[in-house]
């Protein structure tokens, strides 16, 4: 199994809603990532978890709250988002974090629209 | 800091044409270099990588050679197919201080192959 599975595929939410994005991998990878991708732009790193501990937070607003409950799961909790947060949210995993030649495996993403 | 510059798209080719997508980089250390591909509606997939100077990465008929003297990692394919239509991202992974190993993406190049 070389897949990273993200749910839901599409999400529409209002600015007062609370929702969560989910990501799962069963490759035994110990590093998991959240990226944000706006249309026709490259992915931007948001968070990195290594061995279930938050290693990198790229100064992301607190309305985005990541959680890594175990080595296979990664969540992104969303609260009080703004319309400009509408984007494709990509989850990725890699065997380890901390070497330059790690291959990242990406999920298909959650297309989020904030109304 | 690190940066990746790739040729502006979109690139439109006929089937069986030769493809080159230029990529140059700036890095402070000894980066690994990658090409990722994103098909419509999907996440990114690793296409090929090279981890040191003069290494050649290859996959599915695509090739790229890590040229330290010209700080380049150009993507080539001898005969493109309609199924190669996608967005191609050049990326580098380097140590950016502390415990940070960051993947830096270029802006992406949209390739359309017509039958």
């Amino acid at each position: 199994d070389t897949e990273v599975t993200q749910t839901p595929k599409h999400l529409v939410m209002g600015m007062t809603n609370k929702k969560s994005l989910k990501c799962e991998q069963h490759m035994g990878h110990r590093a998991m990532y959240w990226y944000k991708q706006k249309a026709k732009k490259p992915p931007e790193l948001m968070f990195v978890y290594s061995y279930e501990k938050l290693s990198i937070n790229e100064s992301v607003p607190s309305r985005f709250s990541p959680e890594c409950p175990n080595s296979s799961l990664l969540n992104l909790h969303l609260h009080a988002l703004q319309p400009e947060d509408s984007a494709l949210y990509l989850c990725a995993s890699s065997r380890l974090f901390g070497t330059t030649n790690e291959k990242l495996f990406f999920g298909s993403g959650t297309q989020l629209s904030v109304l | 800091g690190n940066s990746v510059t790739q040729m502006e798209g979109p690139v439109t080719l006929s089937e069986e044409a030769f493809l080159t997508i230029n990529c140059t980089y700036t890095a402070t250390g000894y980066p690994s270099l990658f090409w990722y591909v994103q098909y419509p509606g999907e996440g990114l997939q690793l296409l090929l990588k090279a981890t040191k100077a003069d290494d050649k990465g290859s996959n599915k008929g695509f090739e790229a050679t890590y040229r330290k003297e010209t700080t380049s990692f150009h993507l080539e394919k001898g005969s493109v197919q309609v199924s190669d239509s996608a967005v191609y991202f050049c990326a580098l992974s380097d140590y950016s201080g502390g415990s940070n190993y960051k993947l830096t993406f270029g802006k992406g190049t949209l390739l359309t192959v017509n039958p």
Side-chain angles (χ1 to χ4, degrees):
Chain A
D1 184 1
T2 58
E3 280 194 355
V4 175
T5 304
Q6 290 188 242
T7 55
K9 291 195 180 304
H10 302 275
L11 180 63
V12 179
M13 59 187 291
M15 290 190 283
T16 58
N17 292 157
K18 286 185 182 180
K19 297 286 185 183
S20 296
L21 309 185
K22 296 185 184 302
C23 174
E24 193 167 0
Q25 57 86 17
H26 296 287
M27 294 178 277
H29 289 174
R30 303 315 300 266
M32 296 188 78
Y33 309 73
W34 281 115
Y35 282 85
K36 173 183 177 179
Q37 187 179 25
K38 300 284 262 185
K40 303 189 185 214
K41 299 288 186 186
E44 298 173 7
L45 182 65
M46 300 174 72
F47 303 103
V48 181
Y49 275 83
S50 177
Y51 288 89
E52 296 99 70
K53 288 187 171 27
L54 185 64
S55 291
I56 292 181
N57 176 342
E58 291 283 284
S59 303
V60 178
S62 59
R63 57 186 184 268
F64 295 91
S65 175
E67 178 196 19
C68 190
N70 61 55
S71 61
S72 299
L73 293 175
L74 185 67
N75 299 321
L76 186 63
H77 303 298
L78 313 172
H79 174 54
L81 294 193
Q82 304 297 309
E84 59 264 29
D85 296 322
S86 298
L88 180 67
Y89 288 84
L90 293 165
C91 174
S93 71
S94 64
R95 191 178 54 90
L96 295 171
F97 175 68
T99 61
T100 59
N101 61 357
E102 285 295 333
K103 171 182 176 179
L104 265 61
F105 291 77
F106 284 85
S108 296
T110 295
Q111 187 66 55
L112 174 67
S113 297
V114 182
L115 304 179
Chain B
N2 298 335
S3 66
V4 176
T5 303
Q6 57 182 109
M7 64 188 285
E8 295 281 333
V11 174
T12 302
L13 296 173
S14 298
E15 208 164 22
E16 299 184 3
F18 184 85
L19 169 70
T20 300
I21 301 178
N22 289 339
C23 172
T24 57
Y25 68 89
T26 302
T28 53
Y30 300 93
S32 293
L33 302 175
F34 305 83
W35 278 100
Y36 280 86
V37 59
Q38 187 173 28
Y39 297 102
E42 296 186 13
L44 280 71
Q45 301 174 24
L46 179 66
L47 183 59
L48 52 84
K49 73 175 186 180
T51 57
K52 60 183 188 297
D54 300 325
D55 265 3
K56 178 188 281 190
S58 60
N59 185 26
K60 299 181 182 180
F62 291 90
E63 291 183 342
T65 301
Y66 189 141
R67 301 281 188 206
K68 194 159 186 271
E69 63 276 14
T70 54
T71 62
S72 65
F73 193 55
H74 305 320
L75 182 68
E76 297 183 336
K77 186 175 185 183
S79 175
V80 293
Q81 305 300 311
V82 172
S83 57
D84 294 326
S85 298
V87 180
Y88 292 80
F89 292 97
C90 184
L92 72 82
S93 178
D94 197 9
Y95 176 63
S96 58
S99 60
N100 292 338
Y101 291 80
K102 193 166 178 179
L103 189 63
T104 301
F105 288 97
K107 291 186 176 180
T109 302
L110 173 63
L111 170 66
T112 302
V113 180
N114 294 319

